[in-house]
Amino acid sequence: MNIILAPVITEKSESLKSNNVYVFKVNKKANKTQIKNEIEKLFGVKVLSVNTINVVQKKRRVGRYTGLTSAYKKAYVKLAEGSSIEY
């Protein structure tokens, strides 16, 4: 099971990097402990805390067609002082 799917690169996530907080799109079934262990193993850093959010589906419209965006889970990972992740 892939736990870390992709980094979330937005203005908000880029501004959080100054506080050593990184944002990732993660598997919906993953829990905080699994996310922490995977980040530490992949990037070789020390994780202090993990906060997760379930992002709900939203209605989107393109012309006359309506649909829904995908629901996913987002993880805010706070790293120890002096650690950083490059992606």
Side-chain angles (χ1 to χ4, degrees):
M1 171 171 91
N2 288 340
I3 295 176
I4 308 300
L5 301 178
V8 176
I9 302 173
T10 60
E11 285 186 32
K12 182 179 178 181
S13 67
E14 292 297 318
S15 68
L16 288 172
K17 283 185 182 181
S18 62
N19 297 333
N20 265 3
V21 176
Y22 293 84
V23 186
F24 294 94
K25 190 174 186 179
V26 296
N27 190 312
K28 285 189 71 128
K29 295 184 179 183
N31 61 35
K32 292 180 180 185
T33 308
Q34 291 172 331
I35 295 168
K36 176 185 176 187
N37 293 336
E38 187 73 15
I39 294 288
E40 288 179 344
K41 185 176 82 174
L42 279 177
F43 299 106
V45 294
K46 176 74 175 135
V47 175
L48 295 179
S49 67
V50 176
N51 294 328
T52 59
I53 296 172
N54 284 313
V55 180
V56 297
Q57 293 180 326
K58 296 179 184 176
K59 283 188 176 183
R60 289 291 179 249
R61 188 176 149 164
V62 178
R64 68 178 186 174
Y65 302 103
T66 59
L68 295 172
T69 61
S70 300
Y72 62 95
K73 187 181 243 185
K74 191 162 52 169
Y76 289 86
V77 179
K78 182 162 179 66
L79 302 182
E81 201 63 39
S83 298
S84 67
I85 294 175
E86 293 298 322
Y87 42 75

